[in-house]
Amino acid sequence: MKENIWSRMLNLDRRWIFLFIGVVCIVPFFFPFGLPVLPTAHVISIFDYVENLGPENAIFVSFDFDPGTDPENMPMAVAVTRHAFSRHIPVFFTANAPLAQGMLESGLAYITNPALEGYFHVVSWQEWAQYRDQGITERDQLEAAWEADGNVLPANSSGWVFEGRDFAKLGYLPYFSLVILGMTSSIASQYPEDMNGNPLVEMPMLQEHKSLRDVDLAATFSGTAACTWWITYGREKIGLPVAFGVTAVSATDYTIFIQSGQLIGQMGGLRGAAEYEVLLQNAGYFDKPDRAFIGMDVQNAAHLLILFFIVLGNIAYFAGGFHKKGALLKGRR
Amino acid sequence: MKRTVPLMIVLVGGVLMIIQYFIPHRISQDIFDNYTIWVPIIGAFALALGVGSLTRLHGHKVRNKAPNWPYSLAVLLPIYLMPIFAFFVPVSFGGGMDEPGFYHFAFMHIQVPIQSTMFSILAFYIASAAFRAFRAKSVLATILLLTAVIVMMGQVPIGELLGSWFPKLGLWIIDFPNNAAKRAIGLGVGFGILATQLKIIFGVERNWLGGAGE
Amino acid sequence: MTRILPLLLLILTALAAAQTVEQEQQPIPAEPEIAEASAEEVLDIPPGDISPLAGVDLTAPGDITVMDHPDDSGDRLIVSFSPGSEAEYADLFAAYIIYRRPAGGSDEEWTNVGVMPVGEGTQFVDGYDPDFPVNIGESYEYRVSALYLDETEVMGEPVIAQEVASGQWFHQGKVRVLVACLIFLGLIFYFFSRARMGATMYLRPIAGIEAIDEAIGRATEMGKPILYVPGLSDISDVATIASLTILGRVARKVAEYQTSLIVPNRDPIVYTVAEEAVKQAYLEAGRPDSYDPNSVFFLTQSQFAFVAGVNGIMMREKPATNFYLGMFWAESLILAETGSLSGAIQIAGTDAVTQLPFFITTCDYTLIGEELYAASAYLSREPMQMGSIKGLDSCKAILMVFITAGALMSIMDLLAGTQTLSWLKNIVTTQIVD
């Protein structure tokens, strides 16, 4: 077939596409557009559900992802955790793989990093031992007693989080699907200690929420199908409400669970996380959205570029008359 | 004998687990609990075998200076060094990115970026695949193309600026036509799983035991 | 909210107080020491004022009936009771507290086994709390108290449970599942037996499966290896098992053709099974000496590290044929596109629907959904295997009848305002929550 501009355009070397994608992914970091993100029904339903919970409830936030999908899954997990911490909802943190435990550590380190605006100030299990000994374990009383002893919340902090009262780091256990199954009877039977070796059974949040039956939501963030374990062993066995945060490429896999009522809602990719961040901002929890929102500029630019390439390919296809010839040059190289 | 014993174990175990599903009695639960205890134990032993296999493969390449043997070294060193660092320099809570300790440093500043980079390659490949695949070659291909554009634009704020119907229509496409097709495939898959399981339990399918089953 | 907070406070403190009672083996106090926040605080009663319930003759909850929980392993009891004065003083009522002791036990043995906040009805399932398990066959005694916001706890009379907990040998809620299983299993076995009796069965050709032999031959001609990725999931995933069955057949052909095979694994158990399958295939092909123990190996459990490893193999070893059969997730396109770049002929197969478009775009042949499960039967052409495909198709036919009926009924409901769809739904669906 004779080479012309249309055939060259149609057989564009993929490395050009890679180069352009690379450029449009970098530029928005320097020149952000900050276009508004409108939350969709699947994300709003998760937000509203968490919004209706309080210190008397408890949720699971499960970091079920590898470092690979960190850019998509981490902002979701961070957003839900920050929401729960803001509302003083006790959070059990779990991980489905050894590396996922690293992501859990990393996510918590980000949320509790004093260098960042709006961070949550951690009071470790050991630090508030004396209050426990005095029988002060109720959330508001504990905070009042803690502050009465001269502890002042830093100006850039969103609030205190007491380990064992507001959160417990359960971490990773092998064959996590079976761990979920075991936790439907008793959390402590699976996790006698937390990740740092603290006795879980002594933690007030565990005494109030002994099994998954006493838990009001499991939010799982995953780059694989590991999230469905929570449906199989949690939702279907004991009726545990479940919410998903999944990568954009897998998002359409799980919308059937929303329709069937097995899933409260789902965050798909960076967009889902950005929507949650916007909802947090709109509800007045934080002044500005977080990392996912910033990343949306890159998505905007990349989507437009992909659209441009699709249009370009079709123009070349028709203008070059390939639709008549019935033979399309192979676009591989 | 080498075949019969595993097949018997599979038959008895498989039938037992099917029956167990319908029996809530304590005895039945105990059988299931025992099964759940055995799975991680077998997994732990298999992991040791897995690491052994990787060591044997790459050790062999390094010893024989096989082509690209430095890559093998790059596999072997972290496998054994990371647990050593993790054991001697444990990770503690808080401190963000400035956490001391080599394990944490290697995890946060080597492993996470490398793996995230691998995932980010997807963006490049998707662009390239979309360019090649989305051509209006026929009526069906045109419908696919338009659907893809609507869903894609519905996912980003720029689509919302162009028209608020973009995200709504995108979500509708995901929720209905997409789910209908998914369910159709899913039901077929479900029965495929059922038939495969039965073939294995009743020994019709023996390939997983090795060979072509004759 | 203002009402919920004090209520919550009371419930939590009641729980804590009751558990202290249990730990210290003390009888229930006549006047429970509950309050951190006083009734005056929670009800906005000025200090010194008298509680609205002072001097009121309150009736305790009563008529306790205890039944064995159906369809369980014998670790639960259902405690029902009738309310006392709570309806009358609904604004002041906080929660019911359920106490249990072994029948005929002492007062010290009363244990708080549950708190039911206002609005949760008058039926309690005992046995969910892992700290206070219900034992099979043991007789218990129950009493229920009503806790009011002003700390008043009105204690009901103890009642010996009418029933003891016992395990059942069949879950009544799973009858429909059993019926469906029997129908589907019956159909599959029927076609197994027909196949065994020699009935001829036609299977439509699937290009991807027919291309497998051709792809192995191509690699042999080119003198390059074959890469076989059995998915990224674990052995409990049936897609992985289906992939391993195909691997057995591919390995046998590979052994016959004397081509080299590379099988990287993400799961250690899958690795051991894959290794055994390949080794056995070489043995059956009569070439055990050609088997390379380094051809099947474990790579890593990390999703994208595995992809990086496999991509590296593709770029360095340049396999002539790549098989991706099994379960794949977000990494599918990265694998297949790299394989395409390396110039290999690629055959993929997965039941992960969202990854199918990526494989279809980048691979030469793709097995869609159940085709992956059918591949083994196609490759072997064994009568029993073919029978399983026919059985599977007949199961699908039944389902299609239900789906069509459901669609028609839902249209009819829409047009005529009838409720026929819910009738069908009731027949075919079942809610099983333990």
Side-chain angles (χ1 to χ4, degrees):
Chain A
M1 193 173 285
K2 201 180 157 190
E3 279 271 304
N4 59 23
I5 182 162
W6 304 118
S7 65
R8 279 206 298 274
M9 207 186 274
L10 211 56
N11 292 305
L12 186 69
D13 188 332
R14 72 179 82 201
R15 284 171 294 186
W16 283 109
I17 301 174
F18 294 170
L19 178 68
F20 280 114
I21 286 283
V23 170
V24 299
C25 284
I26 294 166
V27 168
F29 283 112
F30 297 101
F31 307 103
F33 333 130
L35 292 175
V37 172
L38 294 180
T40 50
H42 293 175
V43 180
I44 293 172
S45 54
I46 304 177
F47 181 86
D48 286 349
Y49 189 89
V50 177
E51 192 66 9
N52 284 318
L53 302 179
E56 71 277 21
N57 304 99
I59 66 170
F60 264 69
V61 169
S62 197
F63 287 67
D64 299 338
F65 58 94
D66 260 9
T69 55
D70 167 274
E72 281 197 284
N73 288 131
M74 186 61 89
M76 305 166 180
V78 164
V80 173
T81 305
R82 278 157 56 104
H83 192 192
F85 279 178
S86 301
R87 297 194 56 74
H88 298 159
I89 304 166
V91 186
F92 292 98
F93 292 105
T94 50
N96 79 330
L99 288 180
Q101 177 156 315
M103 301 324 298
L104 159 55
E105 288 273 14
S106 163
L108 279 177
Y110 176 78
I111 295 164
T112 60
N113 185 349
L116 298 173
E117 188 67 34
Y119 83 103
F120 286 89
H121 199 101
V122 172
V123 182
S124 71
W125 176 245
Q126 287 77 18
E127 280 178 286
W128 65 283
Q130 56 163 315
Y131 303 95
R132 279 198 304 280
D133 295 342
Q134 293 165 27
I136 304 170
T137 55
E138 195 276 322
R139 180 62 182 74
D140 291 340
Q141 288 174 6
L142 175 59
E143 184 167 319
W146 175 257
E147 289 187 341
D149 280 353
N151 295 299
V152 180
L153 189 70
N156 64 337
S157 176
S158 294
W160 305 104
V161 274
F162 296 90
E163 190 174 14
R165 174 71 266 174
D166 291 325
F167 72 93
K169 294 189 295 171
L170 306 185
Y172 160 72
L173 279 182
Y175 290 87
F176 196 66
S177 53
L178 300 178
V179 175
I180 298 171
L181 191 65
M183 288 195 294
T184 59
S185 303
S186 163
I187 297 170
S189 69
Q190 305 296 311
Y191 291 96
E193 292 180 339
D194 74 357
M195 274 161 57
N196 298 339
N198 298 318
L200 217 56
V201 281
E202 290 176 20
M203 292 186 176
M205 61 185 282
L206 194 100
Q207 288 166 359
E208 290 158 20
H209 311 281
K210 292 174 186 169
S211 74
L212 284 181
R213 288 180 194 275
D214 305 326
V215 170
D216 301 278
L217 174 70
T220 159
F221 304 95
S222 169
T224 66
C227 49
T228 54
W229 295 341
W230 288 96
I231 295 270
T232 312
Y233 301 110
R235 174 66 181 78
E236 286 313 292
K237 190 167 161 57
I238 56 158
L240 173 73
V242 178
F244 279 3
V246 293
T247 52
V249 268
S250 305
T252 50
D253 248 346
Y254 307 117
T255 43
I256 47 168
F257 293 123
I258 298 177
Q259 277 186 345
S260 62
Q262 290 164 299
L263 200 57
I264 283 170
Q266 170 181 279
M267 284 180 256
L270 202 64
R271 158 90 196 203
E275 287 177 30
Y276 208 98
E277 288 176 2
V278 167
L279 286 167
L280 283 176
Q281 186 194 16
N282 292 348
Y285 287 108
F286 301 98
D287 296 335
K288 56 181 194 305
D290 206 13
R291 293 180 292 184
F293 185 82
I294 299 165
M296 284 312 290
D297 281 347
V298 176
Q299 279 216 345
N300 269 318
H303 276 61
L304 279 181
L305 184 71
I306 292 172
L307 206 62
F308 168 75
F309 276 121
I310 292 173
V311 172
L312 192 77
N314 280 282
I315 289 173
Y317 181 67
F318 284 102
F322 296 101
H323 61 297
K324 291 176 197 159
K325 291 162 194 164
L328 186 66
L329 284 179
K330 278 204 129 188
R332 298 185 184 176
R333 201 148 156 191
Chain B
M1 190 65 183
K2 204 183 165 193
R3 280 282 177 98
T4 314
V5 173
L7 283 174
M8 284 307 291
I9 293 172
V10 170
L11 177 69
V12 172
V15 171
L16 210 62
M17 291 310 275
I18 293 174
I19 297 171
Q20 186 276 333
Y21 174 78
F22 295 99
I23 304 174
H25 198 273
R26 169 61 53 203
I27 295 169
S28 156
Q29 296 304 315
D30 287 346
I31 291 171
F32 186 74
D33 290 348
N34 269 316
Y35 160 77
T36 59
I37 290 166
W38 272 101
V39 172
I41 294 171
I42 294 167
F45 279 103
L47 188 63
L49 284 176
V51 174
S53 116
L54 201 63
T55 308
R56 188 186 61 204
L57 173 71
H58 289 282
H60 185 71
K61 283 188 178 176
V62 171
R63 269 199 312 278
N64 296 328
K65 295 279 189 293
N68 302 315
W69 67 269
Y71 290 113
S72 298
L73 210 58
V75 171
L76 288 175
L77 284 178
I79 281 183
Y80 290 99
L81 285 181
M82 282 293 269
I84 292 170
F85 281 116
F87 184 73
F88 289 111
V89 194
V91 182
S92 60
F93 187 71
M97 304 288 279
D98 303 320
E99 180 73 21
F102 184 77
Y103 173 81
H104 191 267
F105 174 84
F107 182 78
M108 287 308 298
H109 302 290
I110 299 175
Q111 189 157 10
V112 172
I114 284 178
Q115 293 206 20
S116 298
T117 305
M118 278 310 298
F119 185 47
S120 72
I121 290 172
L122 196 59
F124 297 86
Y125 285 177
I126 282 181
S128 157
F131 174 67
R132 286 205 312 270
F134 291 130
R135 303 246 162 98
K137 286 185 257 185
S138 62
V139 177
L140 288 177
T142 311
I143 294 171
L144 183 72
L145 168 67
L146 291 175
T147 311
V149 169
I150 292 167
V151 172
M152 208 160 70
M153 292 309 285
Q155 287 293 307
V156 284
I158 200 120
E160 284 155 14
L161 285 184
L162 292 173
S164 62
W165 54 273
F166 256 125
K168 283 179 192 157
L169 191 56
L171 206 61
W172 182 85
I173 290 169
I174 290 171
D175 277 349
F176 296 98
N178 163 68
N179 277 352
K182 265 184 64 64
R183 286 204 171 97
I185 297 176
L187 289 170
V189 168
F191 283 118
I193 290 174
L194 180 72
T196 307
Q197 300 277 40
L198 287 178
K199 282 193 291 181
I200 290 170
I201 290 171
F202 293 99
V204 175
E205 177 66 80
R206 301 170 183 198
N207 266 354
W208 58 276
L209 280 170
E214 282 108 38
Chain C
M1 195 66 193
T2 46
R3 188 167 142 68
I4 292 169
L5 273 175
L7 197 154
L8 166 78
L9 205 68
L10 266 163
I11 292 168
L12 292 180
T13 38
L15 256 176
Q19 288 189 9
T20 314
V21 167
E22 200 271 330
Q23 280 163 11
E24 294 173 6
Q25 293 289 296
Q26 284 175 359
I28 300 165
E31 291 176 8
E33 295 168 5
I34 308 169
E36 290 292 345
S38 69
E40 285 78 8
E41 279 167 22
V42 295
L43 295 173
D44 284 336
I45 303 166
D49 278 17
I50 300 160
S51 162
L53 293 172
V56 178
D57 188 17
L58 294 167
T59 318
D63 297 334
I64 298 173
T65 53
V66 182
M67 290 185 308
D68 178 34
H69 193 287
D71 305 326
D72 72 344
S73 62
D75 55 359
R76 274 169 278 170
L77 287 166
I78 300 172
V79 181
S80 310
F81 50 90
S82 58
S85 309
E86 303 86 62
E88 213 176 319
Y89 300 95
D91 289 347
L92 302 172
F93 174 61
Y96 291 113
I97 302 175
I98 290 88
Y99 296 94
R100 185 184 78 198
R101 71 176 177 191
S106 65
D107 276 355
E108 285 78 22
E109 287 178 275
W110 280 115
T111 306
N112 172 348
V113 290
V115 175
M116 293 176 67
V118 60
E120 287 198 1
T122 54
Q123 196 176 68
F124 173 76
V125 179
D126 188 15
Y128 284 145
D129 192 327
D131 291 342
F132 309 111
V134 167
N135 297 323
I136 295 179
E138 189 169 340
S139 182
Y140 293 106
E141 210 169 336
Y142 284 89
R143 72 195 302 188
V144 179
S145 75
L147 181 69
Y148 290 85
L149 288 173
D150 71 342
E151 307 166 36
T152 309
E153 187 178 11
V154 187
M155 194 65 70
E157 285 303 311
V159 170
I160 293 178
Q162 294 88 342
E163 289 184 17
V164 294
S166 65
Q168 279 74 47
W169 288 100
F170 180 71
H171 196 301
Q172 303 283 340
K174 293 179 180 174
V175 172
R176 283 172 220 186
V177 182
L178 181 66
V179 170
C181 275
L182 291 176
I183 293 171
F184 294 141
L185 292 181
L187 276 170
I188 289 174
F189 279 109
Y190 168 70
F191 281 98
F192 273 174
S193 61
R194 275 202 64 190
R196 197 181 277 164
M197 286 187 286
T200 46
M201 290 174 182
Y202 170 76
L203 296 181
R204 74 176 166 88
I206 296 175
I209 297 173
E210 288 176 354
I212 290 178
D213 278 355
E214 184 195 322
I216 299 169
R218 180 178 183 262
T220 315
E221 282 168 22
M222 293 174 75
K224 287 183 172 181
I226 290 167
L227 175 75
Y228 190 105
V229 185
L232 273 79
S233 194
D234 55 32
I235 198 77
S236 63
D237 203 321
V238 187
T240 309
I241 298 174
S243 178
L244 291 171
T245 62
I246 303 168
L247 173 64
R249 299 194 185 281
V250 169
R252 184 165 172 155
K253 281 260 184 265
V254 166
E256 284 167 4
Y257 291 179
Q258 295 280 291
T259 313
S260 58
L261 180 69
I262 304 170
V263 188
N265 291 279
R266 188 197 172 207
D267 184 85
I269 297 183
V270 175
Y271 150 69
T272 49
V273 179
E275 187 184 41
E276 204 56 41
V278 173
K279 203 188 286 179
Q280 189 66 22
Y282 272 78
L283 199 69
E284 285 183 5
R287 300 185 190 277
D289 49 323
S290 303
Y291 171 69
D292 176 7
N294 290 333
S295 61
V296 187
F297 53 91
F298 167 77
L299 208 52
T300 167
Q301 282 200 301
S302 171
Q303 185 184 7
F304 284 94
F306 179 81
V307 176
V310 175
N311 284 3
I313 291 167
M314 283 184 206
M315 298 316 285
R316 284 191 302 272
E317 311 281 339
K318 300 273 182 203
T321 303
N322 296 339
F323 290 102
Y324 312 107
L325 300 170
M327 179 54 84
F328 295 88
W329 298 295
E331 70 292 332
S332 62
L333 183 63
I334 304 176
L335 283 173
E337 185 77 357
T338 309
S340 166
L341 271 169
S342 73
I345 184 171
Q346 304 200 95
I347 298 175
T350 184
D351 59 4
V353 181
T354 42
Q355 306 313 319
L356 283 170
F358 298 133
F359 280 139
I360 289 167
T361 313
T362 48
C363 294
D364 299 273
Y365 300 97
T366 306
L367 305 179
I368 298 169
E370 62 188 300
E371 289 176 356
L372 173 69
Y373 299 105
S376 189
Y378 270 79
L379 288 170
S380 70
R381 296 275 159 185
E382 288 164 16
M384 292 279 276
Q385 294 263 18
M386 308 268 273
S388 76
I389 305 276
K390 285 288 166 193
L392 174 69
D393 281 351
S394 54
C395 294
K396 266 165 56 184
I398 294 177
L399 217 65
M400 280 160 72
V401 169
F402 274 105
I403 291 171
T404 312
L408 291 174
M409 284 173 168
S410 95
I411 292 167
M412 194 172 80
D413 288 353
L414 207 68
L415 297 176
T418 50
Q419 294 288 321
T420 52
L421 186 66
S422 55
W423 171 79
L424 183 69
K425 258 186 177 172
N426 284 338
I427 293 177
V428 295
T429 60
T430 182
Q431 184 76 21
I432 302 163
V433 172
D434 288 343

